[in-house]
């Protein structure tokens, strides 16, 4: 039987392998734990808007990816039911943004997650809140669950 930490890491590996959007935007998965995830991304010139700052959609996408990894860390597929973001300060080209997701509540099929987005200086850029809903399916099959457990203990 896997520990909760091993399960979270195994689910993240499966998700990351198929997450072309996060990969193509240059995100990195820096930390994963049950109900928690940290992803980061550097703002490129292509991510800036007419004001010369990072387009809010990219900040939202980084936060949404951290939310997804956090709420899918229990081997139960989960999707976003509702998300909101509050922008606090602008990010600019070259900034390394970090989105840190933490679980606030998980009951039944629903969960609430708060994601704080900061830059490389620790400045608060945005706050994101995501509400998740579990759906049918798991990330790991019973066989994969056993194989991952054996390889993680070696």
């Amino acid at each position: 039987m896997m520990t909760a930490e091993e399960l979270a890491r195994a689910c993240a590996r499966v998700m990351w392998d198929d997450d072309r959007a996060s990969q193509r935007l240059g995100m990195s998965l820096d930390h994963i734990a049950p109900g928690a995830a940290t992803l980061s991304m550097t703002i490129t010139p292509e991510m800036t808007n007419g004001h010369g700052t990072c387009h809010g959609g990219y900040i939202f996408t980084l936060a949404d990816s951290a939310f997804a990894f956090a709420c899918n860390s229990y081997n139960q597929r989960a999707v976003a039911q509702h998300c909101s973001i509050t922008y606090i300060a602008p990010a600019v080209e070259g900034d390394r943004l970090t989105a840190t997701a933490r679980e606030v509540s998980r009951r039944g099929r629903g969960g609430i997650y708060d994601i704080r987005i900061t830059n490389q200086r620790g400045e608060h850029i945005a706050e994101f809140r995501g509400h998740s809903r579990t759906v049918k399916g798991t990330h790991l099959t019973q066989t994969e669950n056993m194989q991952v457990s054996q390889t993680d203990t070696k």
Side-chain angles (χ1 to χ4, degrees):
M1 191 66 143
M2 271 196 256
T3 68
E5 296 284 332
E6 290 169 336
L7 182 62
R9 285 193 302 269
C11 291
R13 277 194 299 270
V14 169
M15 283 185 57
W16 184 258
D17 287 347
D18 289 334
D19 188 347
R20 288 180 212 82
S22 295
Q23 291 178 36
R24 293 286 296 202
L25 289 172
M27 291 182 198
S28 66
L29 177 59
D30 304 325
H31 172 75
I32 187 72
T38 303
L39 276 77
S40 58
M41 172 179 78
T42 299
I43 304 307
T44 65
E46 296 78 20
M47 296 175 179
T48 60
N49 60 25
H51 298 292
T53 60
C54 180
H55 189 288
Y58 289 104
I59 298 169
F60 186 99
T61 302
L62 175 64
D64 186 50
S65 289
F67 166 49
F69 281 94
C71 69
N72 278 278
S73 62
Y74 300 102
N75 198 29
Q76 176 65 51
R77 289 189 183 270
V79 297
Q81 182 178 39
H82 172 78
C83 301
S84 64
I85 193 165
T86 301
Y87 299 99
I88 297 166
V92 296
E93 179 185 336
D95 276 352
R96 181 77 179 171
L97 300 185
T98 300
T100 304
R102 70 175 183 82
E103 187 174 275
V104 174
S105 173
R106 187 169 150 264
R107 302 179 72 108
R109 292 182 58 206
I112 300 172
Y113 295 79
D114 282 343
I115 297 85
R116 175 171 283 220
I117 300 91
T118 57
N119 65 16
Q120 68 279 5
R121 292 176 297 282
E123 296 167 338
H124 199 175
I125 302 300
E127 280 292 325
F128 176 106
R129 175 162 272 194
H131 296 249
S132 67
R133 185 82 170 162
T134 59
V135 295
K136 291 181 182 177
T138 59
H139 298 286
L140 306 171
T141 65
Q142 189 69 15
T143 304
E144 289 170 324
N145 199 344
M146 297 291 284
Q147 290 172 342
V148 170
S149 182
Q150 291 170 1
T151 59
D152 282 352
T153 58
K154 291 182 181 176

